[in-house]
Amino acid sequence: MNQSVRGIRSMADGEHYTTLEKNNIVRYKYAETNRGESMLPSPAGNLTITDYAFSPDERQILIASGRKPIYRHSYTTSYYLSAAGSLTPTLNSAEAPRDASFSPDSRLIAYSDRNDLYVYDITSRQTRRITDDGAWNAIINGTTDWVYEEELGFTKAYAFSPDSRRIAYMRFDEREVPLMEMMRFDGKLYNEAYSFKYPKAGGRNSTVEVWVCDLTTGAKERIDTGGENDQYIPRIGWTPDGRLYFFRLNRRQNTFEVIMCEPHGAQRTIYEERSQQYVERVDDTSVTFVDNDRFLVRQESHTGYMHLYLYSIRRGFVAQVTKGEWEVTGIVGTDGKRVWFLSTETSPLRRNLYSIRLDGKDKRRLTQEEGFYAISPSAGMKYYISTFSSASTPNRVEICDGAGNSLRTLADSRELREELAATGRPQKEFFTFTTERGDELNAYIVKPRHFDPSQRYPVLLTQYSGPGSQSVRDRWAMDWEDALADKGYIVVCADGRGTGFRGEKFKKLTYGRLGALEVEDQISFARHMASQPYVDADRIGIYGWSYGGFMALSCAMKGHGLFRMAIAVAPVTSWRYYDTIYTEIYNNLPQYNASGYDDNSPINFARMLDDKRTRLLIIHGTADDNVHFQNTIEMTRALNRCGKQYDMMIYPDQNHSMLPDDTGNVRQKMIEYTLQNL
């Protein structure tokens, strides 16, 4: 088994951490080997711990138990409070609570319930309703709408002030957003429509407001976010000294601002970034406050590579902290003097941990092996827990001190490593190749067991290819394609133009014409493989899921019989059907770039499918709230009109990941289809 350590949390002293083990929360010391101390008063029993959080004073633990999904990341749950030697249900008055968290003074718990925001007083056990206009498919308070959750990566849309006296929250008015109806069957005699608001490219978004409630007086104030209501507010928060700030992003997503709200109502922009095409989507590590005045920004617009910059609220730009033709992929932490970060400095395929002074001097590499590191830091960055893997090495989890010295190993996937060594499982081999147009692309190959270069083998291209993505990386992973190596197939993958971690220029080549250059590159890759002496050029297939499904369809249509087989799972078939934030950042609005939406839609190339040569399988779940089943319906309509033959596999009531029931079934189907048709 590929081992990992679940639920890692650093405690405030920076000397201890907790993990989630066998439905229990266990505390350990970073620096010493010890058996661990249970943080719960008794075994959780039938309680299934989904998530947990300590109160800031660490005297209480808020436990989420169970998970009733809403969309990909959001869910409602039951909450329990562990305090003073007891474990008791809490937030009992809530019908469908979600996104609960402690206030900084540990006395309050805020949460959302049925689109309204509430605050629960732990001592008095009284609940205060902050908003009262929440309604499904209309008004949302304190949580996000569908497109913010999916594309901006957060659901908790509120924040306590550092003194716990105020709470800022976002209010979404989605009444003008068009309604999407997704049919649910669920084994019932009469099927039912599930309706939700989904803004498609060029359409209406929610109108988003920022409010602040004074928890002492109950007074509420709407914060001025500018005269434009067709914009995004990707984050809200408070500076360490208690000033409200919010991120602002225009609809085109090529102007990003951080707006600071001063105590008496004045506002000023403390950071602004502009790009001719787009500003890379912001997240929690885009801006990191170091203290009451300084903050770090991670951005690519200045040099064409994602790097760190130090700014002052009072003085503006201070220093470029990192530089070079490589990218900072994330901030791990800072102690006010140094910053720890992950980067691609050794290779775009790898991630290593470094630290550097905030003035850009004394950079140190802390991880030494070549592969992929994920880091969980301690408070104050005195220690960290690293999870390392490579294409040939499953997970190894270690505790290190802040200077990078290994203290001990927590998990090493020994059984899996021994099994891999005993069975001689083929490993990924990385290489580059140059297309007919002169573009050098990163790729990998997995050869069959007992590979014989004098023989000819069938080849499956697996890919995703979406903007800023990366499929070719030196990290441990296994999926259904790996089973093909046991059946005498070669599996290959290439990251074409538009993919990430090779600089802004390479990534943004595909802007405004999604599916043009990416398809050229995958077809070039197929031709490259066909030219190899060990490849059966008549047996080349391609597979992809989501954006990769869009690509697999496009290659099947434009490949002129080059591909013997194509498998497209949950494919986008026209970017007009996909959401505003993702589509418009990479393709502009369809009102201004109609050709970018239509010229490369596989729907418009259905006539080009050589169904005598290319076997096509389309797979989709009917409850896919992300890439709607509509995409497959319209693709098959076009194929039918052109008299084309193809295969389909439909998964009733399954979402974009084929959950809750059919992740295994779909992979088995793809293995069997490949064996039969390639």
Side-chain angles (χ1 to χ4, degrees), residues 184-192 652-653:
R184 298 283 313 191
F185 300 92
D186 298 309
K188 297 179 179 178
L189 183 61
Y190 289 92
N191 53 284
E192 298 177 354
D653 302 316

Side-chain angles (χ1 to χ4, degrees), residues 128 130 165-167 212-221:
R128 175 188 297 184
I130 304 300
R165 295 179 180 178
R166 293 170 291 168
I167 188 168
V212 173
C213 177
D214 187 311
L215 296 177
T216 302
T217 66
K220 290 187 284 189
E221 174 191 7

Side-chain angles (χ1 to χ4, degrees), residues 519-520 522-524 526-527 537 540 542 551-566 605 608-610 613-614:
V519 171
E520 286 182 1
Q522 293 302 320
I523 290 175
S524 290
R527 290 176 179 147
I540 296 177
I542 187 167
M551 290 290 297
L553 280 174
S554 298
C555 288
M557 306 299 161
K558 297 180 178 181
H560 301 292
L562 174 62
F563 297 97
R564 171 72 68 86
M565 180 202 76
F605 293 90
M608 293 175 58
L609 176 66
D610 184 351
R613 169 67 181 169
T614 303

Side-chain angles (χ1 to χ4, degrees), residues 244-261:
L244 177 70
Y245 68 86
F246 60 89
F247 294 177
R248 184 165 64 196
L249 192 65
N250 65 332
R251 177 73 182 253
R252 275 280 311 278
Q253 300 177 70
N254 60 2
T255 300
F256 166 53
E257 301 166 283
V258 181
I259 310 298
M260 177 75 66
C261 301

Side-chain angles (χ1 to χ4, degrees), residues 258-317:
V258 181
I259 310 298
M260 177 75 66
C261 301
E262 300 292 1
H264 301 293
Q267 292 184 356
R268 59 193 179 98
T269 301
I270 61 171
Y271 175 74
E272 182 176 17
E273 181 181 350
R274 296 178 181 269
S275 173
Q276 182 178 352
Q277 294 155 320
Y278 61 87
V279 174
E280 185 56 72
R281 281 185 288 177
V282 297
D283 59 24
D284 291 332
T285 67
S286 296
V287 175
T288 302
F289 281 92
V290 177
D291 49 36
N292 290 341
D293 179 58
R294 297 177 300 163
F295 60 97
L296 287 160
V297 174
R298 189 172 67 94
Q299 61 109 311
E300 66 185 356
S301 298
H302 284 355
T303 66
Y305 291 89
M306 194 70 74
H307 280 295
L308 299 180
Y309 300 82
L310 184 65
Y311 281 79
S312 162
I313 293 174
R314 293 179 293 106
R315 295 175 288 126
F317 175 77

Side-chain angles (χ1 to χ4, degrees), residues 626-645:
N626 185 0
V627 179
H628 304 144
F629 190 52
Q630 171 193 26
N631 284 269
T632 283
I633 291 297
E634 296 303 331
M635 185 73 243
T636 56
R637 187 197 307 276
L639 290 167
N640 294 344
R641 284 174 174 172
C642 296
K644 301 298 182 179
Q645 297 296 307

